[in-house]
């Protein structure tokens, strides 16, 4: 086993008392929290293991993947090419150590797979090369003597994400056998946390599937927080794999996927960062990922599309996602040191992208045309314009947070207003009732731009454009299949990344049932898919239910290349907290917040998260068959929030009491909720039918 340093006393003092005497990855100092911020019955939904060292739970047959026996148990492999499959029961990743007793000579082979249907003597693909003949293959421990052997994977062969480990024997001797004695996997993700279950946020509701979906997003984000020296090596190997690329400074960094690409992709962080904040709360990994983008900013002000060692370039949309990521990070942390350090570079980035806005249209003309995998990008692409709108809005907040006195916030806000007008003028398809893919007469009405238009407020609910939002929400339904929304800008594909924006679009305008339906179809389908990991969220899949994301349009990847633990698909995790429980931060650190529940078909829901101001939590509970409900919140004193009481499910007028006393002259009408401003603390409200 690896030599490790125990957690430091500082970490113990800083984070609580029930310290487990566990250590972190390699010799890293443990800086993660030691205890969950909100212990409770929901913790049974946490997929993360209780220890940084884990073992498989069962043995499967290679022939048909049915369970042979539990593990630990007996595991005898005899003859060339024979194998046993070890199932960890969920996504894991790291370095395995295997002890075994051999007869004769030969090699112990190890092959890995995230999905059940790519189990075999050849690993699923993490390098994009075709198998067989190229691709990941297997790794071997060659033995020449009978007796006991111990094999530990070398660090470069760290396998970032898998559920199944196939152990097999390659030998020239008919009498050679292997008996597996022990298998232990040192978890390689979230390297600075000794307790992988020390979540800083939680969610719980009356719908167990939604609960598991929330926790599968959270666990995915944990598997995407990786040691900074375990990025995928570039150029990718033709055969085999190497995860020894340098990703960023610091110790831990958020990448796009556990198995691959194992690189910083800021577009993914548009979903992954809000979801991280409400669940595990690991913003150190986010800071290092963003810093790496600033450290590799180009001379023209553009950011790379992906961090090192890949350093993919030329994506205007991902450039803007780095800027939006900066906003989200500072919103959640108020890390003014980070903001000050990078402010000039942020301004340079803003100049770079805004210079692509041309008159007379006033629309952004995209020239860095790489993007999330949509089929077409460039010119006045609507999605890019929606992202620019959000970049300008968030830039205005950043400017005031930075203490800018040169009027930048006003400049950015008026640019956003002008851009919104231009988008609504040139990109809106009035007869159809949704945005086109760009300002030309195209019949493509994309899922990404339309979802973002509503979510980012290019068609605000509280304006004369509100009917556009409702029309978009209805039109989006036409893309739906029984297993998720087909994305028109990448036909035959379902993108849980873009669907993460779609669910938040429906929720933004109160289409709760649509959002919950789409979550259940998409993420529910994957969670229950017997070929999936049962514990994470997948990068994408095809409308025919196979995992060959993007393969229908000329990409030459092996179907097994898809990542089954991709943080960009974790949208339900933040959506359920921010919109269903309804608790979200609006000012830095939650100094201001909103609580605006949406009941949908649920009976109760609650959630919480932490900032340096303290713990924030809230919940609600429908009672008396919808004739009343209770709502509570417990947030730091000194903060201030807007609470919106929804209408009663019974459709009746409701009278309101707060902290046990009648809320004078306040009621919830049959059609309209009630919004009011409140201070922090621990409060509860009951609304009862009149
Ligand atoms: C961990 O520390 C031990 C003892 O100082 C050292 O031998 C070992 O090489 C270190 N491992 C790594 C990965 O740095
Ligand atoms: C699966 O294969 C094993 C042999 O590895 C066999 O014993 C078992 O009957 C098979 N099960 C099914 C359901 O086909
Ligand atoms: C099998 O025999 C060949 C030829 O002697 C040798 O090159 C090879 O390494 C052997 N393979 C194993 C797994 O022992
Ligand atoms: C799982 O994979 C197998 C093998 O590819 C396939 O036959 C089966 O239909 C898949 N199951 C689902 C639910 O997709
Ligand atoms: C170990 O065994 C594997 C499988 O037979 C073989 O491909 C590889 O070349 C062997 N490695 C060494 C160093 O002998
Ligand atoms: C080999 O390992 C097995 C299982 O751990 C153990 O029972 C046995 O005593 C070991 N043999 C030797 C020679 O160390
Ligand atoms: C680490 O920081 C230095 C100094 O800012 C920078 O030059 C270097 O590129 C960074 N390394 C990585 C991997 O981002
Ligand atoms: C707009 O972008 C396209 C590439 O997407 C480029 O060919 C064209 O010259 C640009 N137009 C202007 C006015 O910059
Ligand atoms: C507009 O969008 C359609 C659909 O994506 C695409 O085929 C067309 O090339 C785009 N035109 C311009 C000028 O961007
Ligand atoms: C954020 O940090 C700045 C600078 O330290 C401070 O002035 C401001 O009050 C902080 N905001 C909050 C909400 O704590
Ligand atoms: C909901 O409220 C009822 C009545 O106050 C209470 O008995 C029940 O425990 C609550 N349930 C939850 C999940 O809060
Ligand atoms: C509450 O909403 C009102 C109206 O939109 C707004 O003026 C006020 O600033 C909000 N308060 C907080 C704490 O966000």
């Amino acid at each position: 086993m690896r030599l490790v340093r125990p957690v430091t006393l500082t970490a113990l003092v800083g984070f609580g008392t029930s310290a487990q005497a566990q250590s972190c990855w390699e010799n890293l100092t443990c800086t993660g929290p030691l205890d969950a911020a909100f212990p409770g019955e929901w913790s049974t939904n946490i997929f993360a293991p209780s220890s940084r060292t884990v073992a498989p739970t069962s043995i499967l047959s290679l022939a048909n993947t049915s369970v042979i026996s539990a593990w630990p148990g007996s595991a005898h492999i005899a003859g060339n090419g024979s194998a046993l499959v070890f199932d960890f029961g969920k996504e894991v990743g790291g370095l395995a150590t295997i002890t075994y007793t051999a007869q004769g000579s030969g090699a112990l082979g190890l092959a890995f797979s995230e999905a059940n249907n790519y189990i075999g003597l050849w690993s699923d693909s993490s390098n994009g090369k075709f198998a067989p003949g190229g691709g990941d293959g297997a790794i071997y421990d060659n033995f020449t003597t009978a007796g006991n052997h111990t094999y530990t994977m070398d660090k470069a062969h760290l396998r970032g994400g898998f559920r199944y480990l196939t152990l097999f024997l390659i030998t020239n001797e008919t009498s050679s056998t292997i008996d597996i004695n022990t298998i232990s996997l040192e978890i390689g993700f979230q390297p600075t946390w000794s307790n992988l279950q020390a979540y800083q946020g939680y969610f719980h509701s009356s719908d167990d599937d939604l609960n598991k979906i929330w926790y599968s997003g959270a666990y995915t984000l944990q598997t995407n927080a990786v040691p900074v020296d375990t990025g995928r090596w570039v150029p990718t190997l033709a055969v085999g794999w190497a995860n020894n690329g340098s990703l960023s400074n610091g110790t831990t960094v958020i990448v796009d996927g556990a198995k691959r690409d194992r690189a910083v992709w800021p577009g993914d962080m548009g979903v992954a960062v809000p979801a991280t904040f409400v669940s595990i709360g690991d913003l150190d990994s986010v800071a290092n990922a963003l810093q790496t983008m600033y450290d590799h900013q180009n001379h023209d002000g553009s950011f790379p599309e992906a961090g090192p060692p890949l350093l993919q370039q030329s994506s205007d949309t991902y450039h803007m996602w780095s800027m939006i990521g900066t906003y989200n990070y500072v919103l959640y942390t108020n890390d003014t040191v980070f903001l000050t350090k990078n402010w000039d570079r942020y301004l340079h980035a803003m100049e770079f992208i805004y210079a692509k806005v041309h008159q007379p249209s006033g629309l952004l003309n995209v020239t860095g045309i790489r993007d999330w995998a949509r089929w077409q990008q460039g010119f006045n692409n609507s999605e890019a314009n929606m992202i620019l709108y959000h970049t300008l809005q968030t830039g205005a907040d950043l400017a005031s947070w930075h203490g800018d006195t040169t009027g930048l916030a006003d400049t950015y806000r008026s640019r956003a207003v002008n851009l919104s007008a231009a988008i609504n003028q040139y990109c809106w398809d009035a007869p159809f009732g949704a945005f086109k893919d760009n300002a030309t007469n195209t019949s493509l009405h994309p899922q990404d731009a339309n979802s973002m238009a509503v979510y980012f407020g290019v068609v605000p609910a509280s304006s004369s454009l509100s009917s556009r939002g409702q029309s978009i929400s209805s039109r989006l339904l036409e893309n739906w299949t029984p297993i998720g929304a087909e994305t028109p800008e990448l036909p035959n594909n379902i993108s849980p990344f873009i669907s993460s924006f779609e669910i938040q679009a429906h929720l933004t305008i109160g289409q709760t049932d649509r959002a919950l339906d789409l979550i259940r179809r998409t993420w529910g389908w994957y969670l229950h898919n017997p070929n999936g990991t049962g514990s994470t969220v997948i990068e994408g899949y095809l409308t025919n239910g196979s995992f060959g994301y993007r393969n229908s349009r000329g990409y030459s990847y092996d179907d097994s290349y898809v990542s089954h633990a991709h943080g960009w698909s974790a949208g339900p995790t933040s959506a359920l907290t921010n919109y269903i429980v309804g608790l979200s931060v609006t000012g830095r650190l939650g100094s201001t917040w909103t609580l605006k529940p949406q009941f949908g078909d649920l009976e109760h829901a609650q959630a919480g998260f932490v900032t340096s101001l303290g713990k924030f939590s809230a919940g609600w509970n429908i009672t008396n068959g919808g004739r009343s409900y209770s709502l509570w919140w417990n947030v730091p004193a000194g903060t201030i929030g807007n609470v919106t009481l929804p209408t009663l499910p019974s459709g009746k007028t409701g009278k309101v009491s707060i902290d046990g006393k009648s809320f004078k002259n306040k009621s919830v009408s049959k059609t309209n909720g009630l919004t009011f401003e409140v201070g922090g603390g621990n409060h509860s409200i009951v609304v009862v039918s009149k």
Side-chain angles (χ1 to χ4, degrees):
M1 294 305 294
R2 229 141 254 97
L3 289 167
V4 283
R5 215 188 294 154
V7 291
T8 64
L9 189 61
T10 326
L12 288 174
V13 170
F15 280 102
T17 49
S18 69
Q20 295 158 354
Q22 274 199 27
S23 18
C24 287
W25 172 251
E26 296 291 324
N27 290 343
L28 294 183
T29 304
C30 295
T31 52
L34 293 177
D35 295 308
F38 302 93
E41 57 181 295
W42 40 85
S43 61
T44 56
N45 286 321
I46 293 178
F47 291 103
S50 57
S51 163
R52 291 199 64 93
T53 306
V54 298
T57 54
S58 58
I59 305 179
L60 315 183
S61 136
L62 178 68
N64 53 32
T65 72
S66 59
V67 178
I68 295 173
S69 67
W71 179 263
S74 124
H76 184 68
I77 303 172
N80 186 40
S82 58
L84 290 171
V85 181
F86 292 83
D87 181 3
F88 284 78
K90 60 184 154 204
E91 176 90 358
V92 292
L95 296 174
T97 296
I98 294 150
T99 66
Y100 61 97
T101 308
Q103 304 298 328
S105 67
L108 168 69
L110 292 80
F112 301 85
S113 182
E114 293 188 298
N116 185 286
N117 54 325
Y118 298 115
I119 288 173
L121 306 190
W122 199 269
S123 301
D124 60 3
S125 176
S126 76
N127 62 20
K129 305 297 194 303
F130 272 118
D136 288 55
I139 51 177
Y140 298 97
D141 186 37
N142 304 58
F143 58 90
T144 52
T145 56
N148 286 351
H149 298 268
T150 298
Y151 169 66
T152 296
M153 291 161 67
D154 62 297
K155 230 187 126 183
H157 278 111
L158 175 139
R159 195 70 185 175
F162 66 96
R163 172 173 167 174
Y164 302 99
L165 166 61
T166 302
L167 296 181
F168 59 98
L169 173 60
I170 298 293
T171 180
N172 291 331
E173 296 171 31
T174 48
S175 59
S176 275
T177 62
I178 285 177
D179 283 282
I180 305 296
N181 298 324
T182 61
I183 301 173
S184 70
L185 179 81
E186 188 186 1
I187 293 286
F189 52 78
Q190 215 162 38
T192 58
W193 286 41
S194 61
N195 178 3
L196 294 170
Q197 299 182 335
Y199 280 26
Q200 298 304 290
Y202 82 109
F203 171 81
H204 195 63
S205 77
S206 52
D207 184 324
D208 196 46
D209 265 7
L210 292 182
N211 298 342
K212 291 200 164 65
I213 288 168
W214 190 96
Y215 280 93
S216 69
Y219 185 48
T220 299
L221 295 163
Q222 293 185 276
T223 69
N224 289 186
V226 307
V228 294
D229 55 355
T230 64
R232 184 175 67 179
W233 185 256
V234 176
T236 55
L237 308 188
V239 181
W241 72 91
N243 284 322
N244 54 357
S246 185
L247 293 162
S248 79
N249 290 300
T251 49
T252 178
V253 65
I254 185 167
V255 294
D256 60 329
K259 177 182 72 172
R260 61 142 268 275
D261 296 345
R262 295 186 74 84
V264 175
W265 289 90
D268 308 13
M269 291 164 65
V271 171
V273 174
T276 295
F277 169 65
V278 302
S279 61
I280 53 179
D282 172 15
L283 296 169
D284 290 348
S285 299
V286 171
N288 288 329
L290 288 170
Q291 190 58 53
T292 217
M293 303 314 290
Y294 283 101
D295 287 346
H296 294 89
Q297 186 176 29
N298 298 302
H299 290 298
D300 63 0
S302 65
F303 293 119
E305 186 196 21
L310 192 54
L311 280 180
Q312 191 83 56
Q313 302 292 336
S314 295
S315 171
D316 287 345
T317 52
Y318 275 52
H319 170 86
M320 293 186 281
W321 282 120
S322 286
M323 302 175 72
I324 293 168
T326 302
Y327 163 83
N328 281 329
Y329 172 67
V330 177
L331 173 69
Y332 301 140
T333 62
N334 197 27
D335 185 345
T336 45
V337 173
F338 173 88
L339 187 59
T340 304
K341 175 178 174 183
N342 294 301
W343 184 243
D344 289 345
R345 292 182 252 188
Y346 178 89
L347 294 181
H348 196 191
M350 186 65 101
E351 285 158 21
F352 166 81
I353 195 66
Y354 199 73
K356 300 191 186 196
V357 172
H358 298 303
Q359 303 307 331
S361 71
L363 291 168
L364 172 71
N365 186 43
V366 176
T367 53
I369 63 169
R370 289 189 52 91
D371 201 355
W372 63 269
R374 71 188 335 282
W375 194 235
Q376 200 275 341
Q377 183 52 278
F379 298 97
N380 297 135
N381 173 266
S382 301
E383 178 222 12
N385 275 278
M386 304 303 172
I387 298 174
L388 178 58
Y389 176 80
H390 196 53
T391 304
L392 290 165
Q393 292 276 37
T394 54
D397 280 349
L398 279 171
S400 37
W401 294 344
H402 178 65
D404 172 80
T405 52
T406 67
L408 279 180
D410 288 344
T411 302
Y412 294 165
R413 277 200 192 93
S414 72
R415 286 176 178 179
V417 168
N418 293 341
L419 180 65
S420 169
I423 296 170
N424 276 290
Q425 180 177 349
Y426 295 110
C427 302
W428 181 250
D429 184 341
F432 185 82
F435 286 102
K436 302 176 290 180
D437 206 30
N438 50 51
T440 71
N441 275 330
T442 166
S443 59
L444 180 68
H445 302 92
Q447 186 192 9
D448 55 8
N450 279 292
S451 300
M452 290 176 194
V454 181
Y455 178 41
F456 294 155
V458 175
V459 288
S462 57
S463 77
S464 58
L465 296 173
S466 63
S467 64
R468 291 193 172 184
Q470 292 297 341
S471 172
I472 287 169
S473 171
S474 301
R475 282 295 191 181
L476 284 169
L477 304 181
E478 292 165 16
N479 300 328
W480 287 16
T481 79
I483 63 168
E486 177 177 9
T487 174
E489 61 274 31
L490 188 64
N492 303 322
N493 286 260
I494 291 171
S495 170
F497 171 51
I498 298 306
S499 293
S500 289
F501 296 110
E502 179 173 339
I503 58 172
Q504 294 180 96
H506 294 304
L507 289 165
T508 298
I509 57 170
Q511 292 291 354
T512 319
D513 293 342
R514 291 176 182 175
L516 292 179
D517 187 346
L518 188 57
I519 291 173
R520 288 168 177 140
R521 282 175 197 237
T522 314
W523 287 268
W525 172 82
Y526 180 74
L527 191 67
H528 293 294
N529 190 316
N531 290 332
T533 66
S535 55
T536 50
V537 294
I538 188 172
E539 178 181 20
Y541 51 96
L542 296 182
T543 49
N544 69 8
S546 77
F547 296 143
Y549 175 63
R550 294 193 297 187
N551 282 4
S552 60
R553 290 296 285 267
Y555 285 86
S556 55
Y557 293 128
D558 188 316
D559 279 5
S560 74
Y561 188 60
V562 71
S563 161
H564 287 253
H566 230 60
W568 79 351
S569 300
T573 301
S574 57
L576 290 168
T577 296
N578 292 335
Y579 294 95
I580 296 300
V581 173
L583 184 63
S584 59
V585 304
T586 53
R588 281 175 294 173
L589 297 173
S591 49
T592 57
W593 45 272
T594 58
L595 176 57
K596 188 178 181 184
Q598 295 187 39
F599 300 143
D601 58 1
L602 304 180
E603 285 156 24
H604 60 86
Q606 56 181 302
F609 46 75
V610 173
T611 78
S612 64
L613 295 182
K615 294 182 189 180
F616 292 74
S617 59
W620 50 259
N621 180 4
I622 312 268
T623 42
N624 292 324
R627 287 188 299 278
S628 55
Y629 65 80
S630 57
L631 170 70
W632 58 267
W633 64 95
N634 190 355
V635 301
T639 65
I640 175 166
N642 272 327
V643 174
T644 297
L645 302 180
T647 57
L648 276 164
S650 66
K652 299 268 171 25
T653 303
K655 59 176 194 287
V656 180
S657 57
I658 181 163
D659 295 333
K661 291 187 203 108
S662 166
F663 199 171
K664 288 249 166 45
N665 304 322
K666 297 283 188 200
S667 62
V668 174
S669 80
K670 291 177 187 176
T671 50
N672 285 314
L674 173 68
T675 300
F676 50 92
E677 209 171 56
V678 294
N682 189 358
H683 300 284
S684 66
I685 280 196
V686 176
V687 179
V688 183
S689 293
K690 274 189 178 160

